Each structure stands twice: as structure tokens, then as C-alpha cells.
Amino acid sequence: MKVKYLGVLLLALLSLYGCDDNTGTLGMDMLPDSDGISAKTETFDVSTKSMLADKVYSKTSTGYIGKFTDPDPKGFGNYEASFLAELNCTENFTFPAVYEESADGKSGKGTMVKDEVEKIQLVVYYSSWFGDSLNACRMSAYELNDEWLKVRKDPDKYRYTNIDTKLYHESKALGKKAYTAYDTSVPDSVRKATDSNGNSTYYPNITFPLDKELGNNILKLNRQYQEKKNDFFDNSDKFIENVFKGVYLQTDYGDGTILYVDRVDLQMQFRFHYVDSLGVKLTKKVTDKNGEAGTDSTYLATAVAFASTKEVIQANKFENSEKLAEKVNNDNEKGWSYLKSPAGIFTEATLPYDEIAKKLANDTLNAVKLTFTNYKQDNQEYKFSMSAPQTVLLVRQKDMESFFVNNELADNVTSFVATHNSVETNQYTFKNIARLVSTCINEKKAAKQKAKEAAGAAWDEAAWEDEWNEGEGKNWNKVVLIPVVVTYDTSSNNPSMIGIQHDLKPTYAKLKGGDPAFGGSTLKIEVTHTSFNK
């Protein structure tokens, strides 16, 4: 073959196999003399197994609360979800002033009737849930304690889902409230009401009436702040440390419903005077039954004084039953692998990098395809069954924690995402992980060369391999499949990925693979490569 045509043919082959920027090269520092080029696809074995998640890094503005027991007797047992949330205070926050009339009675300042709270309540808002919407539940709310103030500056203490919440809240509850996810007491006229733009004005919620003393104490501290006697309302940190530390919410009754909480508000109600544009109190224009003029017109108004927002801390706790670990460790469950969220089970896969490197030593790696197939899930057998995770992340095991802690995105080099094809194949397919394969092979190659140069004449390749497998390279060839939620920026015509977090909703999938010793079968990784023929 003419050399001038070699580049054209190689480019055509790369396009054929969808290599693009995912093409890696193993060997081939120089192109050999050749009369032709051929492309081949080889398959290699991939072993998989279930891996207990134990805890996951959780940084989310959604609070999960409730208890759910898998209805399948052979399923995953139960898990409980609860969360704690701080409440944000806007900078330099102040309450309205009490009305004071001028000496001539023609003007005044302030609007509050008296320096007192009429009502205070904690409101938990949610827009969706999992499970039985009519299941009877009860939620308890607790104020956070001084121990929380000691750890809130250390994310390692609260960002993981195994947070020991009982250490961080008071023993006496602020309130308890019975509820169902779908509140049947709300009339359709309220549930379906909309504003002038057609947006719904109803927001499902659970409301805890609180002791007025709590509200009056907050009001009193704020009046002192206005008099420059404290700095407690300068910002959210000062407010949390000195006024109200936050709340912990848990379900203490009911099984079968998980609420997805959007926001927690501390709302306060006051009585105000109606005033005109000059600040003068308005009087009622009606008279009572005795013909006497009414008193100054007043009204009640409730305001969201403090709310959980992204600017303050929210921490979720998930507690799984021992049955989860039993499924991972039980020999009868090793003929396949599982995915289970939240904070449940991942699938670990061991990739055959050494075999690929040996087989393709002088070839060009074009594409590597890895597919995970899940068994059919019959969601009709039980009324509230979990479905398969929508999206999964494939990441090197050594990077699986730092990936989430550092808020990384899939780079298509050592981390990839795939969406479940539930309609046609029931699979998660990673179409080309060639750059992962070449990166890992070259990583070991570089480590080996460095060690060889350092050892000199004393080089012992077999001893180095043993040391590598027990040390630096112990998990070198392992990747983990993790259920995730991917966030996209949809402000443009070409949405871009802006965030990846652990999926904290209840999902599961049973994947083909597992240990052949227990009836499982190895998966196949498809490697497409090109070689030059002499």
C-alpha cells in the first residue's frame, strides 16, 4: 500500500468505530512498514460482584424522611431516612417596628400593633414522594443542640449519610404531627387553585405549631440587635450560633412512604395596623351594632422569617437494615450483582487490563465497549416496587469517594455516565471507555519502568508484580458502578452537565454477572483495535 494513503485509511477506520477523542494507543511508537491495515474486535472477561456502600457523600438541598420496607420477602429489608437542616438568616435582618403615633396624631412610624408574636410555626414543604400516599405517618421535629455547633464547621462529620444525628438534637421535641403524603383534608378548590399566571398556589406541607415563647424570644433578641446590643442577626452563622441552631426531622410512626422535602420554613405571624401613605393609622369605616365607631383597623400577616436554603447546611441520614449486608455477603446472592440506592449497594467490576495490554501490545486501541445488563424487574408484583436507577456512574474505585467530595463531572477518561435503556435492551451501555483502558495500562507501565530503573541489576519483575498487586495497584483494575443523578444546565439549546450526585431515592437493579463459582457468569468487554499487516 502506498504510504500516502495510509493516513486516509486509518482515519476512515477510526471514524467507523466511533473513536473520536477516545482513541488510545498501546505501543506503536513508530509505524512499521506495512502493506495493509486491519481492524479486529476481541472480547475479554470482566468479573463483577456486589459492594456494600455503607455510607455516601451527600450534598443536596433535598431532605429525605420516612421509612420503607421492601415488600419482597427476599428483598433488601427496610431503611429509614431523616435529616437535619439549619435555617438561613438574611444579612442584617430586622423585624418591623411597633407603631408609634406622633404627638399631633397626624403621622406615625412603624406598623406592628404590639411587640409580640401572634403565632410561630415550622412548615415542611414537599412536592413529591415515594410509596403509599395514604399511609398514616407521624413526624417529629427537634431543635439542634450545642454539640451541633461544634461539628458544623467540619464537613467530614455531617456530609456522609451515616451521620449520628442523635448526638445533635435536643431530647424534647418541638412538636409532633400526624400526616399522609396526600392530604385528603385539602379540598380540590385549594389543591387546584392557581395564580394569575396559571401556576399552582398549593404546596403540600406539614405544619408544626410551636410555642409562642420561642417566637417572642427571637423577637426580643432582634430588638436588642436593632439597639446594637448584639450581632446575632448580622448573618446566618451568627443567627445559628446564637439564636436558633436548626431542626432535625424524623418519622417515628408509619412505614411505606418517603417524602422528598424541598424546604423547611420557620414562619412568624404578627398583627399590623393598616396605614395610609403618610403612615397614619386607618380606622374602620363601619360601626358595630350599637352604632359606635370601630377601633383602628388591623390585620394578621405571616412571614417566612427563616428558611432552609443552599447557603446553610442540610444533612441526610440513611439507616439500612442488616439484610442489605446479608445480600452482599450471602453465597446464594453471588451469582449476580446489585445496584441499590440510597447508600445501599454498588457493583464492582474488575477489568482485564493486563490481558488487553498483552494482546494488543503493538496495535492501536480504537474502542472499548462495556455493557451491564439487568434482569427484568416485575414492578407489577408489588404495589410500591422500586424501579432500576435511571443513570449510573462508572468510575475508578480509587476515585469513587473523591469524585463526589470534589464535585467532579464525568470526564470520559476515568469516569463515565450511562442511562438505563429500559425499553429495548434493559442495559447500561458504556459505548467507549478506551481512554480509561489506555490510561490505566499506561499508569502501570510507567510505575513499572520507574521501579525497574531504580532497581537496576537487582530488578525482579515477578516480585514487583506481587508488590504492585498488594500495594499501589491493589484496586488499579477495579471500577465501580454507582446510581447517580445528573444535573444539566438547560438554559441553552445544548444542555451541559453541571453536577453529579449520589441518587438518594429508592431504586434497585439486579445485574447479570457475578461469581461463576456461585452460578454467575463473567461479562464481556469488547475491544476494537487496528493492526498493520506485513
Side-chain angles (χ1 to χ4, degrees), residues 44 50 54 103 194 282 365 377 418 432 499 505:
F44 299 84
S50 295
D54 186 37
T194 59
L282 301 178
L365 183 64
Q377 296 173 208
N432 196 354
K505 294 181 179 180

Side-chain angles (χ1 to χ4, degrees), residues 52-254:
L52 194 64
D54 186 37
K55 63 178 182 179
V56 301
Y57 186 82
S58 169
K59 189 176 182 180
T60 174
S61 59
T62 300
Y64 299 86
I65 183 168
K67 180 179 180 180
F68 180 78
T69 299
D70 191 340
D72 185 349
K74 299 180 180 179
F76 299 94
N78 63 69
Y79 83 95
E80 293 186 47
S82 59
F83 72 98
L84 62 82
E86 296 179 340
L87 303 182
N88 191 26
C89 172
T90 57
E91 292 186 0
N92 306 314
F93 176 85
T94 58
F95 288 107
V98 176
Y99 182 86
E100 291 184 17
E101 193 174 84
S102 62
D104 59 8
K106 294 182 178 181
S107 63
K109 59 181 180 179
T111 55
M112 285 177 57
V113 173
K114 54 185 177 180
D115 211 16
E116 185 179 314
V117 173
E118 292 289 332
K119 183 170 69 173
I120 181 171
Q121 59 190 19
L122 189 74
V123 186
V124 180
Y125 290 101
Y126 59 96
S127 54
S128 57
W129 59 84
F130 172 82
D132 188 349
S133 63
L134 299 179
N135 178 47
C137 302
R138 187 177 67 188
M139 187 184 300
S140 296
Y142 300 85
E143 184 177 357
L144 299 183
N145 60 19
D146 290 339
E147 287 299 314
W148 170 246
L149 299 182
K150 297 177 183 179
V151 303
R152 65 182 300 269
K153 299 295 185 181
D154 185 357
D156 288 340
K157 298 288 181 62
Y158 62 81
R159 280 299 181 206
Y160 291 88
T161 54
N162 65 342
I163 177 175
D164 192 356
T165 51
K166 66 177 179 292
L167 298 176
Y168 307 129
H169 68 80
E170 301 290 354
S171 58
K172 182 180 179 181
L174 289 170
K176 296 177 180 288
K177 189 64 180 292
Y179 69 94
T180 57
Y182 183 90
D183 189 349
T184 56
S185 67
V186 176
D188 286 345
S189 59
V190 174
R191 191 182 303 278
K192 297 179 180 180
T194 59
D195 59 20
S196 58
N197 295 318
N199 300 315
S200 176
T201 57
Y202 174 69
Y203 203 154
N205 66 84
I206 299 165
T207 300
F208 295 85
L210 303 181
D211 191 329
K212 284 177 60 175
E213 183 180 354
L214 172 64
N216 284 326
N217 183 57
I218 294 174
L219 178 61
K220 178 182 177 181
L221 292 174
N222 190 257
R223 295 304 187 208
Q224 293 173 357
Y225 174 74
Q226 294 179 48
E227 297 170 359
K228 309 299 182 184
K229 293 180 179 180
N230 66 51
D231 59 358
F232 297 170
F233 296 83
D234 277 354
N235 52 52
S236 59
D237 281 337
K238 294 286 182 65
F239 174 79
I240 292 164
E241 291 169 1
N242 297 283
V243 182
F244 191 79
K245 303 172 186 68
V247 294
Y248 170 63
L249 297 165
Q250 70 170 12
T251 298
D252 53 25
Y253 177 82

Side-chain angles (χ1 to χ4, degrees), residues 216-444:
N216 284 326
N217 183 57
I218 294 174
L219 178 61
K220 178 182 177 181
L221 292 174
N222 190 257
R223 295 304 187 208
Q224 293 173 357
Y225 174 74
Q226 294 179 48
E227 297 170 359
K228 309 299 182 184
K229 293 180 179 180
N230 66 51
D231 59 358
F232 297 170
F233 296 83
D234 277 354
N235 52 52
S236 59
D237 281 337
K238 294 286 182 65
F239 174 79
I240 292 164
E241 291 169 1
N242 297 283
V243 182
F244 191 79
K245 303 172 186 68
V247 294
Y248 170 63
L249 297 165
Q250 70 170 12
T251 298
D252 53 25
Y253 177 82
D255 184 355
T257 310
I258 304 292
L259 297 184
Y260 305 151
V261 175
D262 301 320
R263 198 178 78 236
V264 180
D265 290 354
L266 186 63
Q267 299 179 353
M268 302 174 73
Q269 186 181 76
F270 301 94
R271 184 169 293 280
F272 293 93
H273 288 290
Y274 285 107
V275 295
D276 61 18
S277 58
L278 298 177
V280 178
K281 289 186 296 183
L282 301 178
T283 57
K284 293 180 179 178
K285 298 184 179 302
V286 297
T287 57
D288 62 20
K289 61 182 181 179
N290 297 319
E292 297 180 357
T295 57
D296 294 329
S297 180
T298 62
Y299 65 96
L300 288 172
T302 301
V304 178
F306 312 101
S308 61
T309 66
K310 293 181 179 180
E311 289 74 26
V312 290
I313 298 169
Q314 183 163 292
N316 284 283
K317 175 182 175 63
F318 295 99
E319 187 172 2
N320 290 289
S321 65
E322 294 180 356
K323 196 167 184 178
L324 202 66
E326 291 174 4
K327 291 189 76 67
V328 172
N329 299 320
N330 191 338
D331 289 346
N332 294 329
E333 302 284 351
K334 293 181 179 178
W336 44 80
S337 68
Y338 286 110
L339 294 176
K340 169 69 175 71
S341 67
I345 303 174
F346 304 150
T347 283
E348 176 192 283
T350 302
L351 301 185
Y353 297 140
D354 283 332
E355 294 91 328
I356 294 173
K358 183 178 180 179
K359 182 77 174 180
L360 279 62
N362 297 309
D363 293 354
T364 298
L365 183 64
N366 301 134
V368 179
K369 181 180 178 181
L370 179 60
T371 300
F372 295 87
T373 302
N374 66 290
Y375 291 93
K376 182 181 179 182
Q377 296 173 208
D378 188 359
N379 291 330
Q380 304 303 316
E381 185 175 356
Y382 301 104
K383 188 175 182 180
F384 302 105
S385 296
M386 295 174 284
S387 58
Q390 178 66 21
T391 308
V392 293
L393 170 74
L394 185 75
V395 64
R396 296 186 72 179
Q397 184 170 320
K398 73 182 189 70
D399 299 329
M400 61 181 287
E401 183 172 339
S402 61
F403 182 92
F404 295 98
V405 172
N406 297 331
N407 197 29
E408 297 178 25
L409 300 176
D411 60 8
N412 292 327
V413 178
T414 59
S415 56
F416 307 78
V417 293
T419 302
H420 187 233
N421 187 335
S422 59
V423 178
E424 298 176 355
T425 62
N426 228 25
Q427 294 176 333
Y428 302 98
T429 301
F430 297 90
K431 296 181 179 179
N432 196 354
I433 60 171
R435 294 177 71 180
L436 169 65
V437 174
S438 59
T439 294
C440 293
I441 291 176
N442 290 331
E443 180 180 280
K444 181 177 179 179

